[in-house]
């Protein structure tokens, strides 16, 4: 699978050079708008930076940071979502420093991860805002890195020559979300992020047409950073930002911003589309027009066709075109974007035999068969090469066979910060079967069907019981469909050590917020989950644990962390929760 597109014009080698270019050529055009929602039912307060104003703020932050740190030092961004986050990120890059996109200590449930990442990155400076300064200072404690308050840095100061930036030099550390392991910082170079921004623009046809990026994904997340900052900077396009919490409190706010901005492009995981379907009311839909939306990117792994179908059915009367949904695939180690379905094309649907898929073969099944796995194609590569390989023999696999996804391209990161990366970033095919050069081993499983990449799951997440492979997301889907009191997308299936040196399967599931624990028939719920998983997968669950909402841990990007859920289960953390008891 190969795709090569002509480069964008102008072809600047770094993001700071793009900022200077647009500030000189289109100084009064809007660059970034942050929409704040100060009250529960606020329609939003808009705060905008033009390209000229953005350049002024980036230069000011760069000068201040250069006074505080030396070339190559890490600068941790502990800012709330907003324009200060953007200027701090671009200012760190302009100063020749290495940005570390993170979040404020107040993000619920992630203080331990933040402390771990800071200990790993060892930043010399932390950038925050006046609003978050006190909590950041208290979190860092005495003897911590120096703090720069972005919105208190004045404009101006002495004129400085731009720091020369080599495309191969590290620009930032993108810490992985930690869904299957401890977070690791991927070294993304200036050349990597510019290449991936161009690849994303080309993949969605945005290099030749107008666009407005509309996003609520957090800027510390790889998708949010590239789609809402890097790609608009490379294109000279407007980026409209909102806080993730504002979306969660009232998801129609996201849809209103999509409707208000022509040629809107946005991205969200599966749960966000289903959340809109479940919560946006008929009154809120009144007057909402979504016919100007260009692309809605879904980067979940894997992407389920039912999610797109439900979303488009719910908003078809608002003019949403069915071809706007773009299943995509990417990962932090490749900056973010790898493959994408193009806007305007119908969804590629594949019904695959569950047992054959678990055995490594993508064989067709009838869509109505309850044992069929329904998946969508994630399109073709964007300016890079993708192969599917046998993870053990390192031999390329033909179309229709499931293996590990390998990637090669200018967007693949330099490696992991402060740890050995050769096994992941320096892979080679056996006997040079797919050509020379180093490849990225993604750890993701997939296959190629009808020329499209189809992602099937994570290699490390596979549940192997009695010699049979089971994809945890399939088990989770069966479990949440088995009983209405199981909270959607808030459960984890995983393997734990079993008898005779083997493994057995466990499900930890939150109950729905609408279900009152005192009135919930836990035994009936568990019987339904066990029965559904047994019937669909031939898998006997060793344990089913029902926990309150908010108990199943999630990664910084909002995904359920199976690894952390499994660790907590083995530690006995759920022993005091409502449970079914282990099977005997």
């Amino acid at each position: 699978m190969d795709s090569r597109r002509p480069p964008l014009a102008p072809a600047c080698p770094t993001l700071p050079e793009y900022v200077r270019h647009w500030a000189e050529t289109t100084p009064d055009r809007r660059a970034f708008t942050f929409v704040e929602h100060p009250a529960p039912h606020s329609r939003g307060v808009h705060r905008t930076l033009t390209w000229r104003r953005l350049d002024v703020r980036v230069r000011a932050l760069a000068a201040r940071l250069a006074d505080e740190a030396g070339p190559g030092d890490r600068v941790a961004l502990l800012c709330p979502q907003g324009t200060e986050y953007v200027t701090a990120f671009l200012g760190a890059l302009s100063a020749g420093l290495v940005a570390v996109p993170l979040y404020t200590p107040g993000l619920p449930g992630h203080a331990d991860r933040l402390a771990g990442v800071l200990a790993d990155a060892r930043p010399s400076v932390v950038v925050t805002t006046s609003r978050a300064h006190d909590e950041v200072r208290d979190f860092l404690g005495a003897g911590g890195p120096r703090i720069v308050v972005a919105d208190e840095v004045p404009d101006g100061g002495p004129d400085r020559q731009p720091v020369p930036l080599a495309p191969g030099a590290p620009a930032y550390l993108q810490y992985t979300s930690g869904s299957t392991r401890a977070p690791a910082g991927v070294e993304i170079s200036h050349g990597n992020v510019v290449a991936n921004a161009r690849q994303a623009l080309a993949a969605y046809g945005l290099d030749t047409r107008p666009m407005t990026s509309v996003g609520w994904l957090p800027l510390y997340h790889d998708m949010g950073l590239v789609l809402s900052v890097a790609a608009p900077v490379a294109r000279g396009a407007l980026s409209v930002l909102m806080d993730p919490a504002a979306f969660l409190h009232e998801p129609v706010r996201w849809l209103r911003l999509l409707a208000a901005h022509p040629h809107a492009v946005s991205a969200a995981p599966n749960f966000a589309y289903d959340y809109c379907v479940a919560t946006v009311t008929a009154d809120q839909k009144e007057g909402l027009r979504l016919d100007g939306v260009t692309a809605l990117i879904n980067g979940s792994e894997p992407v389920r066709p039912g999610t797109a179908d439900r979303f488009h059915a719910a908003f078809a009367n608002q003019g949403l075109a069915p071809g706007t949904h773009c299943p995509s695939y990417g990962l932090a180690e490749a900056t973010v974007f790898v493959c994408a379905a193009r806007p305007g094309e119908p969804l590629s649907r594949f019904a695959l035999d569950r047992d054959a898929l678990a055995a490594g073969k993508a064989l067709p099944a009838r869509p109505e068969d309850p044992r069929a796995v329904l998946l969508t194609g994630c399109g073709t590569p964007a300016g890079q090469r993708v192969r599917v390989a046998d993870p053990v023999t390192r031999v390329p696999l033909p179309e229709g066979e499931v293996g590990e996804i390998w990637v090669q391209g200018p967007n693949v990161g330099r490696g992991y910060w402060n740890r050995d990366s050769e096994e992941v970033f320096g892979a080679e095919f056996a006997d040079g079967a797919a050509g020379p050069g180093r490849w990225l081993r993604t750890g993701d499983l997939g296959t190629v069907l009808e020329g499209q990449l189809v992602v099937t799951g994570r290699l490390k997440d596979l549940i192997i019981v009695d010699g049979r492979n089971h994809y945890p997301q399939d088990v989770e889907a069966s479990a949440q469909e088995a009983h209405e009191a199981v909270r959607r997308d808030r459960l984890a299936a995983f393997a734990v050590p079993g008898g005779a040196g083997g493994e057995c399967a466990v499900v930890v599931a939150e109950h729905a917020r609408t279900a009152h624990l005192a009135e919930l028939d836990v035994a009936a719920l568990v019987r339904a989950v066990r029965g559904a998983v047994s019937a669909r997968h031939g898998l006997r669950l060793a344990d089913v644990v029902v926990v309150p909402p908010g108990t199943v841990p999630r990664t910084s990007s909002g995904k359920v962390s199976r690894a952390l859920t499994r660790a907590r289960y083995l530690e006995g953390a759920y022993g005091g929760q409502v449970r079914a008891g282990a099977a005997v």
Side-chain angles (χ1 to χ4, degrees):
M1 302 176 73
D2 294 79
S3 175
R4 294 178 175 85
R5 293 292 189 101
L8 286 172
C12 297
T14 68
L15 293 181
E17 289 185 54
Y18 273 112
V19 172
R20 289 193 288 270
H21 168 80
W22 299 120
E24 291 171 359
T25 58
T26 59
D28 297 323
R29 284 178 54 200
R30 292 178 296 166
F32 287 90
T33 293
F34 179 63
V35 183
E36 191 173 7
H37 296 85
H41 300 294
S42 168
R43 286 287 184 135
V45 178
H46 292 57
R47 307 183 191 282
T48 296
L49 294 177
T50 63
W51 286 105
R52 178 192 287 118
R53 184 68 185 148
L54 175 67
D55 184 49
V56 168
R57 293 305 301 152
V58 168
R59 288 174 185 267
L61 263 296
R64 175 62 185 276
L65 292 173
D67 289 338
E68 298 286 347
D73 283 358
R74 274 78 59 207
V75 176
L77 310 181
L78 273 62
C79 301
Q81 190 99 331
T83 55
E84 288 88 1
Y85 204 116
V86 177
T87 56
F89 173 73
L90 294 170
L93 269 57
S94 296
L97 306 174
V98 180
V100 187
L102 292 169
Y103 40 84
T104 58
L107 185 67
H110 293 287
D112 288 345
R113 178 184 184 273
L114 179 59
V117 169
L118 289 172
D120 184 67
R122 303 192 303 274
S124 300
V125 180
V126 166
V127 182
T128 188
T129 64
S130 55
R131 181 159 59 98
H133 175 263
D134 289 350
E135 66 170 326
V136 169
R137 180 199 58 206
D138 293 344
F139 183 82
L140 295 176
R146 296 181 294 280
I147 298 175
V148 170
V149 181
D151 50 320
E152 293 180 358
V153 174
D155 295 347
D159 289 334
R160 301 188 185 211
Q161 289 298 317
V163 175
L165 302 174
Y172 62 99
L173 301 182
Q174 180 66 65
Y175 275 83
T176 59
S177 61
S179 58
T180 60
R181 59 178 173 176
V186 183
E187 288 192 45
I188 303 297
S189 72
H190 290 279
N192 291 152
V193 66
V194 168
N196 205 226
R198 292 175 180 165
Q199 290 165 342
L201 292 167
Y204 302 111
L206 306 174
D207 50 348
T208 57
R209 70 172 80 170
M211 67 164 283
T212 302
S213 176
V214 176
W216 57 265
L217 291 179
L219 297 182
Y220 56 78
H221 185 249
D222 50 8
M223 176 79 81
L225 189 63
V226 171
L227 188 66
S228 292
V229 180
V233 166
R235 186 69 178 86
L238 171 64
S239 178
V240 180
L241 303 166
M242 64 180 288
D243 194 285
F247 165 77
L248 292 173
H249 289 156
E250 197 169 348
V252 73
R253 292 167 170 167
W254 176 44
L255 304 182
R256 287 171 180 155
L257 287 181
L258 290 171
H261 294 89
H263 314 293
V265 177
S266 194
N270 264 327
F271 91 85
Y273 295 105
D274 284 328
Y275 187 43
C276 287
V277 172
T279 59
V280 176
T281 67
D283 287 345
Q284 290 174 331
K285 292 179 183 179
E286 286 293 324
L288 188 68
R289 297 303 306 170
L290 299 173
D291 46 340
V293 176
T294 295
L296 293 174
I297 301 164
N298 188 332
S300 300
E301 301 163 10
V303 179
R304 301 284 189 184
T307 298
D309 293 343
R310 286 189 293 271
F311 187 80
H312 286 281
F315 298 101
N317 289 339
Q318 281 63 53
L320 186 67
T324 56
H325 211 86
C326 299
S328 305
Y329 167 71
L331 68 165
E333 287 81 352
T335 306
V336 64
F337 286 96
V338 174
C339 285
R342 277 42 175 177
E345 297 180 358
L347 214 62
S348 295
R349 303 166 183 268
F350 299 97
L352 304 177
D353 181 89
R354 188 186 308 278
D355 293 335
L357 194 64
K361 302 285 185 182
L363 300 180
R366 291 180 292 108
E368 64 273 13
D369 187 333
R371 294 181 62 82
V373 177
L374 304 179
L375 298 173
T376 62
C378 290
T380 53
Q384 51 203 294
R385 304 177 71 201
V386 173
R387 297 288 185 270
V388 175
D390 184 302
V392 177
T393 66
R394 297 182 292 115
V395 171
L397 296 176
E399 185 164 323
E401 292 197 21
V402 177
E404 185 181 15
I405 301 168
W406 288 24
V407 178
Q408 185 185 72
N411 54 302
V412 173
R414 293 160 42 104
Y416 293 123
W417 159 256
N418 207 25
R419 65 185 68 192
D420 183 24
S421 308
E422 190 65 18
E423 182 180 349
V424 175
F425 289 85
E428 295 182 358
F429 281 95
D431 303 323
R438 295 155 55 89
W439 291 74
L440 168 68
R441 297 188 63 164
T442 68
D444 292 315
L445 292 169
T447 186
V448 176
L449 295 174
E450 299 177 10
Q452 294 206 33
L453 181 68
V454 179
V455 181
T456 59
R458 289 283 298 173
L459 187 59
K460 292 183 178 180
D461 276 351
L462 277 179
I463 299 172
I464 306 174
V465 177
D466 298 330
R468 294 185 61 209
N469 294 340
H470 302 273
Y471 289 100
Q473 68 270 12
D474 291 339
V475 176
E476 291 158 4
S478 297
Q480 72 182 15
E481 292 165 6
H483 197 285
E484 61 183 6
V486 177
R487 191 179 181 198
R488 294 191 68 86
D489 300 319
R490 292 296 184 270
L491 68 166
F494 48 87
V496 296
E503 290 191 326
C504 55
V506 170
V507 168
V508 175
E510 295 182 7
H511 64 73
R513 291 190 180 278
T514 54
H516 299 290
L517 191 56
E519 303 170 2
L520 181 62
D521 189 339
V522 176
L525 183 156
V526 169
R527 284 195 301 271
V529 169
R530 287 189 186 277
V533 171
S534 176
R536 284 194 175 185
H537 306 275
L539 177 64
R540 184 168 177 256
L541 293 176
D543 201 2
V544 177
V545 186
V546 182
V547 297
T551 305
V552 174
R554 287 183 286 166
T555 70
S556 61
S557 60
K559 301 176 185 175
V560 164
S561 176
R562 298 187 185 105
L564 187 52
T565 308
R566 179 180 184 274
R568 290 184 179 177
Y569 175 86
L570 292 174
E571 292 166 357
Y574 301 119
Q577 309 294 348
V578 180
R579 62 188 295 127
V584 296

